[in-house]
Amino acid sequence: MESFGQVLLYLIIALVVIVGVVAVIRAVRIVPQSVALVVERLGRYSKTLDPGLHVLVPFVDRVRAGVDLREQVVSFPPQPVITSDNLVVEIDTVIYFQVTDAKSAVYEIANYITAIEQLTVTTLRNVIGSMDLEQTLTSRDQINGQLRGVLDEATGRWGIRVNRVELKSIEPPPSIQGAMEQQMRAERDRRAAILTAEGIKQSAILTAEGEKQSAILTAEGDAQSQILRAEGESRAIIQVFEAIHRGDPDPKLLAYQYLQMLPQIAKGDSNTTWVIPTEFTAALGSIAKGFGGTPGTPGIPDPSGGDDSPSSGPRTSVLDKPLLQDPSEALAEAQRQAEAAVADATSAGTRSGEPFDPRTERGQLPGGGSTPPPPVPPAPPAG
């Protein structure tokens, strides 16, 4: 009996020790950071344990649930949504939320993850149902703002704050995707054609401007060249004219220049007719006279003043005189002719100031003027 009692005592002591250890384990709780423990006492909410060391009443207090207070990210599977133009699109959403009240998250909603997912789907269908496909594709920020506002208002009483809602993807039907690709390709081709046309236009404008500037510069260069050429020719003519006047040429030299120019006039295959100046016969006469020609021959002036009839007197043949003259004699003859011309011009200018003499006119009338002229009145005294 004593041994049985000892065994029973040992069993009781061991049971007490086990119960004590279990009670201590259940009574002492260490709560990690960003975690909240909801404690119930006898089935009712007692308190929420913050991070740190806490002691509970064994077998009276019980931890109902542990809630993660960090921000969480939940990605929902693509949901079919119908737009206002009756197109079904697949929308994949991402929710960023955070539990702010552990008690409400545990007691106000059974599963807040599922609740947020379903609320997101319904809200998304309401928002997308009022938009067409183009607005849906281009209004992501607007859709995100509307979803966040509705979800934050609905989950506030659950102790949950929705920080952000993002549309991860919007997938239109395959046929619509093909049409959109064709439209985009056509738009790109149109822009490329416009840019090409603009480039060609700018190139043509620049080319035209360059040609215009080139033509202007060429015309200016031609004008300057012609002006300079005209000035040069003018100076050359002036210098030649001055040189001719300084050289005091006689008719023989001018006639020789005529002869020099005749081959130039006749040069060329197309020159079948060429005009001889009226002064050419007089020039030939001067040449013939200078080289020993017979006076009275057509084109050669008669120094005796007679006509060209054969009865005017004996003539000397050209062959009777040498054709060439000594240069010094020709020069002296030219000087004598020049002095005679100067004397004639001087006397004519002197007589131009005298009274009219009818006897001067008598020699110019037919018949030589047989009637005697009236006497010339005396000149009035000077002064």
Side-chain angles (χ1 to χ4, degrees):
M1 293 295 293
E2 291 181 359
S3 60
F4 178 75
Q6 291 178 355
V7 173
L8 183 58
L9 180 60
Y10 292 153
L11 290 176
I12 294 174
I13 293 173
L15 183 59
V16 171
V17 171
I18 294 173
V19 171
V21 172
V22 172
V24 171
I25 293 174
R26 293 176 65 90
V28 178
R29 286 298 181 97
I30 299 177
V31 182
Q33 186 67 31
S34 300
V35 175
L37 298 181
V38 178
V39 179
E40 293 180 347
R41 177 169 293 176
L42 300 177
R44 298 182 61 183
Y45 171 75
S46 173
K47 58 183 177 180
T48 300
L49 301 182
D50 296 329
L53 179 62
H54 299 274
V55 178
L56 303 178
V57 178
F59 307 105
V60 177
D61 294 337
R62 182 177 69 92
V63 177
R64 169 68 184 270
V67 180
D68 192 351
L69 300 179
R70 295 173 297 177
E71 185 174 3
Q72 302 181 44
V73 181
V74 179
S75 178
F76 301 135
Q79 300 294 327
V81 181
I82 301 176
T83 61
S84 61
D85 49 357
N86 297 325
L87 293 176
V88 179
V89 294
E90 299 288 336
I91 299 180
D92 190 1
T93 56
V94 179
I95 305 297
Y96 297 83
F97 68 94
Q98 183 178 10
V99 178
T100 57
D101 188 357
K103 175 184 176 183
S104 299
V106 173
Y107 292 104
E108 296 296 335
I109 188 71
N111 189 343
Y112 55 84
I113 299 296
T114 304
I116 292 175
E117 178 182 1
Q118 296 301 321
L119 182 60
T120 302
V121 171
T122 56
T123 306
L124 188 62
R125 288 178 178 175
N126 292 333
V127 174
I128 299 299
S130 61
M131 299 181 179
D132 56 12
L133 179 60
E134 185 175 358
Q135 292 178 348
T136 302
L137 295 175
T138 58
S139 304
R140 288 176 176 260
D141 294 338
Q142 181 181 356
I143 296 173
N144 294 338
Q146 293 183 6
L147 284 176
R148 183 181 176 280
V150 174
L151 292 177
D152 196 15
E153 182 181 358
T155 59
R157 58 189 183 88
W158 300 342
I160 297 173
R161 182 177 69 248
V162 178
N163 296 327
R164 194 169 184 178
V165 180
E166 292 291 340
L167 300 181
K168 188 165 62 176
S169 65
I170 300 176
E171 299 293 338
S175 59
I176 301 301
Q177 291 183 6
M180 293 173 61
E181 291 178 358
Q182 293 179 0
Q183 180 183 2
M184 183 59 65
R185 189 179 300 109
E187 181 67 21
R188 296 292 182 182
D189 293 340
R190 184 182 68 85
R191 293 181 182 178
I194 292 175
L195 293 178
T196 302
E198 288 290 337
I200 295 174
K201 175 183 176 182
Q202 293 295 330
S203 176
I205 291 174
L206 294 178
T207 302
E209 288 291 338
E211 293 178 353
K212 175 183 175 182
Q213 294 295 330
S214 176
I216 291 174
L217 294 178
T218 303
E220 291 179 355
D222 293 340
Q224 293 294 332
S225 176
Q226 293 178 4
I227 291 173
L228 294 177
R229 190 180 299 110
E231 291 179 355
E233 294 178 355
S234 174
R235 293 179 181 177
I237 292 172
I238 292 174
Q239 291 180 357
V240 171
F241 186 75
E242 291 179 355
I244 291 174
H245 277 272
R246 285 196 302 267
D248 193 12
D250 58 355
K252 300 176 183 179
L253 178 59
L254 297 179
Y256 179 73
Q257 292 295 327
Y258 273 118
L259 291 176
Q260 292 290 340
M261 289 302 298
L262 286 178
Q264 300 295 330
I265 297 175
K267 183 185 293 186
D269 298 335
S270 61
N271 293 336
T272 59
T273 302
W274 45 291
V275 180
I276 298 177
T278 57
E279 298 87 354
F280 183 67
T281 55
L284 289 179
S286 299
I287 294 174
K289 179 182 176 183
F291 288 95
T294 303
T297 304
I300 303 177
D302 189 358
S304 62
D307 54 0
D308 295 336
S309 63
S311 61
S312 59
R315 298 184 180 182
T316 304
S317 175
V318 178
L319 299 177
D320 296 339
K321 295 182 179 180
L323 297 178
L324 297 178
Q325 254 183 336
D326 186 26
S328 59
E329 295 179 359
L331 180 60
E333 179 66 22
Q335 291 178 355
R336 284 195 298 271
Q337 292 179 2
E339 292 175 357
V342 171
D344 292 342
T346 304
S347 62
T350 305
R351 288 197 300 270
S352 63
E354 296 178 355
F356 174 75
D357 188 359
R359 289 175 298 178
T360 305
E361 186 182 7
R362 184 182 57 183
Q364 302 177 1
L365 297 175
S370 59
T371 305
V376 179

